[in-house]
Amino acid sequence: MTVDTAVDPAGGGAASEPELVQLLTPEGQRVPNEHYDALIDDIGTAEIRALYRDLVLSRRVDSEAVALQRQGELGLWASLLGQEAAQVGSGRALRQQDHVFPTYREHAVAWCRGVDPAQLLGLFRGVDQGGWDPRENNFHLYTIVIGAQTLHATGYAMGVQRDGALGTGDPDRDTAVVAYFGDGATSQGDVNEAFIWASVTNAPVVFFCQNNQWAISEPLERQTRVPLYRRAYGFGFPGLRVDGNDVLACLAVSREALQRARDGEGPTLIEAFTYRMGAHTTTDDPTRYRLGSELEHWRLKDPIERVKAYMVRGDMADQAFFDDVEAESESLAEHLRTACRQLPDPSPESIFDHVYVDPTPPLLAQRDEMKTYLDSFTDEEAQ
């Protein structure tokens, strides 16, 4: 597999190609690219329609969860609005045996991995410590601590090395690991430590940074003097920047980086240049720190509208198709509303259940003491 020709891993700075890989303009026009076109030459009309469906449905999951939070059904929600293409493009590049270590905003990646969106809600409703079994879809639990999952991913990738699941040529065995994080996480020590470990061990991990321009209220220019992807050069592995609102470009660059990892060629940093059109979380008010004109500028680069324009321009879908997708999104929203309100409250003692594989005697004593205390209220009510 060829290393991305758009970067200069040794020297820092753009080589002969533009820094930002783009295959689909905001107006929905296809941009030819001799290198990356070959990586998506299997994407025909059916596949484009499938990607559009992923984008629309993942956005509906997000908007419905925001509505549920506003209705008091969720304590918090971290919106992905505007970042659907980065997540769907990279998510659809994964193979079944690959592993994903997300932050707390990768709802569209979860969708691509087959996680029921209703399972995402338990954590944000406060009734579950995770919501899904990571072993079922190789999609690990959300990580609230900024950047911590990059170390988890790197460690897991080193384990993949030791299992010999690299470079065998078996497409069902060779495994890559991907760590998702935002631009704010690149200022964390954990991320830099993960870069070092991944580089010196040649670990099969793809660092997928969604640069959405804001680390809560801190703009990118206050975090770095150079494009984020160029940091990879200092650690000794390739980096590149892709249009994060272009699902085709994200799919192409992710396929290449993941295959490099599976072939045993080490880590890659992908900077998906995108924009968080919503709030950081539902506790945030972005109107206090960013201009409305900036938001309007990025609305014109909407990742869903450009795919729709591309499909209409190429006569790849008619109104009936778009209506069907819309109807499906309505059904999905109803599923989320119903499932959310049916999530059971946990028993108070369950907070002790997942601390250790083998609970310690002091912990068991604390659980029993708490149960006795809670049962005392039941006894009083019965009298």
Side-chain angles (χ1 to χ4, degrees):
M1 177 60 66
T2 303
V3 175
D4 172 33
T5 56
V7 300
D8 176 9
S16 57
E17 299 290 332
E19 286 188 355
L20 189 145
V21 178
Q22 183 184 77
L23 302 180
L24 201 60
T25 70
E27 294 76 27
Q29 293 181 313
R30 189 69 165 80
V31 180
N33 184 301
E34 183 177 354
H35 180 73
Y36 289 105
D37 282 353
L39 289 158
I40 56 168
D41 59 4
D42 60 321
I43 304 298
T45 297
E47 289 75 20
I48 283 288
R49 290 161 67 115
L51 290 171
Y52 176 82
R53 174 179 175 272
D54 287 337
L55 294 168
V56 171
L57 296 186
S58 56
R59 176 169 291 187
R60 187 54 187 265
V61 169
D62 186 71
S63 63
E64 197 61 32
V66 170
L68 286 166
Q69 196 283 325
R70 298 306 189 208
Q71 296 163 18
E73 299 291 348
L74 301 179
L76 181 75
W77 182 255
S79 174
L80 64 67
L81 183 62
Q83 300 177 216
E84 295 89 350
Q87 295 190 19
V88 170
S90 57
R92 287 302 179 196
L94 293 160
R95 290 180 181 165
Q96 184 61 39
Q97 71 271 23
D98 295 334
H99 279 257
V100 177
F101 288 79
T103 174
Y104 45 76
R105 201 187 298 278
E106 275 68 57
H107 319 312
V109 184
W111 170 263
C112 293
R113 296 302 283 177
V115 177
D116 182 344
Q119 293 182 292
L120 303 176
L121 304 180
L123 179 67
F124 295 98
R125 190 173 169 85
V127 299
D128 198 295
Q129 295 173 322
W132 59 92
D133 185 347
R135 294 168 296 187
E136 291 180 354
N137 306 91
N138 293 351
F139 183 79
H140 292 255
L141 298 180
Y142 278 174
T143 305
I144 305 298
V145 179
I146 304 299
Q149 76 280 3
T150 59
L151 286 168
H152 305 160
T154 301
Y156 197 93
M158 292 168 65
V160 169
Q161 278 180 320
R162 284 149 181 77
D163 287 342
L166 293 177
T168 69
D170 183 349
D172 297 323
R173 174 172 172 77
D174 293 340
T175 302
V177 178
V178 57
Y180 287 89
F181 52 99
D183 49 286
T186 64
S187 299
Q188 292 289 101
D190 285 10
V191 174
N192 289 271
E193 291 161 13
F195 285 179
I196 293 170
W197 276 95
S199 177
V200 299
T201 64
N202 211 39
V205 58
V206 175
F207 296 105
F208 195 93
C209 174
Q210 294 169 82
N211 176 4
N212 66 20
Q213 315 293 320
W214 291 90
I216 307 182
S217 59
E218 198 74 359
L220 182 67
E221 60 266 25
R222 293 186 183 173
Q223 301 180 68
T224 181
R225 291 293 188 92
V226 299
L228 293 175
Y229 76 92
R230 292 189 184 178
R231 290 190 179 183
Y233 308 154
F235 291 93
F237 56 87
L240 79 164
R241 174 183 279 181
V242 63
D243 184 340
N245 286 19
D246 176 353
V247 71
L248 292 181
C250 290
L251 177 65
V253 301
S254 298
R255 280 181 169 180
E256 181 171 60
L258 289 165
Q259 192 56 47
R260 285 192 68 251
R262 297 187 197 104
D263 289 343
E265 296 179 22
T268 301
L269 170 62
I270 296 174
E271 177 192 354
F273 197 74
T274 181
Y275 189 77
R276 165 169 58 78
M277 292 200 289
H280 175 69
T281 69
T282 47
T283 63
D284 176 39
D285 178 8
T287 64
R288 301 183 66 179
Y289 56 80
R290 71 183 185 192
L291 298 173
S293 58
E294 180 181 302
L295 177 59
E296 291 306 311
H297 171 76
W298 279 92
R299 283 191 196 281
L300 298 176
K301 300 181 179 182
D302 188 290
I304 297 179
E305 291 304 316
R306 74 173 62 185
V307 175
K308 185 174 184 178
Y310 175 57
M311 295 169 69
V312 171
R313 189 188 299 272
D315 198 22
M316 289 179 270
D318 56 16
Q319 189 57 47
F321 167 76
F322 295 118
D323 291 344
D324 286 346
V325 174
E326 180 60 26
E328 189 176 3
S329 76
E330 289 294 334
S331 297
L332 180 59
E334 175 58 33
H335 165 62
L336 285 176
R337 289 192 291 270
T338 302
C340 180
R341 292 171 179 133
Q342 291 178 345
L343 286 170
D345 289 336
S347 68
E349 303 99 294
S350 66
I351 62 172
F352 296 96
D353 290 348
H354 305 292
V355 180
Y356 298 112
V357 172
D358 298 314
T360 62
L363 196 68
L364 292 174
Q366 290 177 39
R367 186 188 63 185
D368 293 343
E369 184 178 354
M370 182 176 182
K371 185 176 187 308
T372 301
Y373 173 72
L374 294 172
D375 287 347
S376 69
F377 294 97
T378 304
D379 294 341
E380 290 176 1
E381 291 173 357
Q383 293 175 358

Coordinates of all heavy atoms in Angstrom, one line a residue, residues 5 52 137 140-141 146 158 208 217 238 261 281 285 303 309 314 329 335 374 376:
T5 N 0.5 10.3 -0.8 CA 1.4 11.2 -1.6 C 1.2 12.7 -1.3 O 1.9 13.5 -1.8 CB 1.3 10.9 -3.1 OG1 -0.1 11.1 -3.4 CG2 1.7 9.5 -3.4
Y52 N -25.5 8.1 1.6 CA -26.5 9.2 1.9 C -27.4 8.8 3.0 O -27.7 9.5 3.9 CB -27.3 9.5 0.6 CG -28.4 10.6 0.8 CD1 -28.1 11.9 0.8 CD2 -29.7 10.2 1.0 CE1 -29.0 12.9 1.0 CE2 -30.7 11.1 1.2 CZ -30.4 12.4 1.2 OH -31.3 13.4 1.4
N137 N -19.5 -5.5 18.5 CA -19.3 -4.8 17.3 C -17.9 -4.2 17.2 O -17.6 -3.4 16.3 CB -20.3 -3.6 17.2 CG -21.7 -4.0 17.3 OD1 -22.3 -4.1 18.4 ND2 -22.3 -4.4 16.2
H140 N -15.8 0.2 21.1 CA -15.6 0.3 22.5 C -16.4 1.4 23.1 O -17.0 2.2 22.4 CB -14.1 0.5 22.8 CG -13.3 -0.8 22.4 ND1 -12.8 -1.7 23.4 CD2 -12.9 -1.3 21.2 CE1 -12.2 -2.7 22.8 NE2 -12.3 -2.5 21.5
L141 N -16.4 1.5 24.4 CA -17.3 2.4 25.1 C -16.8 3.9 24.9 O -15.6 4.1 24.7 CB -17.4 2.1 26.6 CG -18.0 0.7 26.9 CD1 -18.0 0.5 28.4 CD2 -19.4 0.5 26.3
I146 N -10.8 13.5 28.1 CA -10.4 13.9 26.8 C -9.0 13.3 26.4 O -8.0 13.4 27.1 CB -10.2 15.5 26.7 CG1 -11.5 16.2 27.1 CG2 -9.7 15.9 25.4 CD1 -12.6 15.8 26.2
M158 N -1.0 -2.6 19.9 CA 0.2 -3.3 20.3 C -0.1 -4.8 20.5 O 0.6 -5.7 20.2 CB 0.9 -2.7 21.4 CG 1.5 -1.3 21.1 SD 2.0 -0.3 22.6 CE 3.4 -1.3 23.1
F208 N -7.7 9.3 14.1 CA -8.6 10.1 13.3 C -9.1 11.3 14.1 O -10.0 11.2 15.0 CB -9.8 9.2 12.9 CG -10.6 9.8 11.8 CD1 -10.4 9.4 10.5 CD2 -11.7 10.6 12.0 CE1 -11.1 9.9 9.4 CE2 -12.4 11.2 11.0 CZ -12.1 10.8 9.7
S217 N -15.1 26.3 23.8 CA -15.1 27.7 23.4 C -13.7 28.2 22.9 O -13.6 29.4 22.6 CB -15.6 28.6 24.5 OG -14.8 28.5 25.7
P238 N 3.2 9.2 9.0 CA 2.5 10.1 8.0 C 1.2 10.8 8.6 O 0.6 10.2 9.5 CB 2.0 9.2 6.9 CG 2.8 7.9 7.1 CD 3.1 7.8 8.5
A261 N -2.1 0.2 8.2 CA -2.1 -0.4 9.5 C -2.1 -1.9 9.5 O -1.3 -2.6 10.1 CB -3.2 0.2 10.4
T281 N -21.9 20.6 23.8 CA -22.9 19.7 24.3 C -24.1 20.5 24.6 O -24.2 21.7 24.4 CB -22.4 19.0 25.7 OG1 -22.4 20.1 26.7 CG2 -21.1 18.4 25.6
D285 N -23.5 27.0 25.1 CA -24.2 28.1 24.2 C -23.2 28.7 23.3 O -22.5 29.6 23.7 CB -24.8 29.1 25.1 CG -25.5 30.2 24.3 OD1 -25.6 30.1 23.0 OD2 -25.9 31.3 24.9
P303 N -22.4 18.4 4.8 CA -22.0 17.1 4.2 C -23.1 16.4 3.6 O -22.8 15.6 2.6 CB -21.4 16.4 5.4 CG -22.0 17.1 6.6 CD -22.2 18.5 6.2
A309 N -26.8 16.8 -3.7 CA -26.5 17.5 -5.0 C -25.8 16.6 -6.0 O -26.1 16.7 -7.2 CB -25.8 18.8 -4.7
G314 N -26.1 13.6 -11.0 CA -25.8 12.4 -11.7 C -27.0 11.5 -12.0 O -26.8 10.4 -12.4
S329 N -36.2 7.7 8.5 CA -35.7 8.5 9.6 C -36.8 8.8 10.6 O -36.5 8.9 11.8 CB -35.0 9.8 9.1 OG -36.0 10.8 8.7
H335 N -38.5 5.1 17.2 CA -37.8 4.0 17.9 C -37.0 4.6 19.1 O -37.0 4.1 20.2 CB -36.9 3.2 17.0 CG -35.9 2.3 17.6 ND1 -36.3 1.3 18.5 CD2 -34.6 2.4 17.7 CE1 -35.2 0.7 18.9 NE2 -34.2 1.3 18.5
L374 N -30.9 0.8 52.3 CA -32.1 1.1 51.4 C -33.3 0.2 51.8 O -34.4 0.7 51.7 CB -31.7 0.7 50.0 CG -30.6 1.7 49.4 CD1 -30.1 1.2 48.0 CD2 -31.2 3.1 49.2
S376 N -34.2 -0.6 54.7 CA -34.8 0.0 55.9 C -36.0 0.9 55.6 O -37.0 0.9 56.3 CB -33.8 0.7 56.8 OG -33.4 1.9 56.1

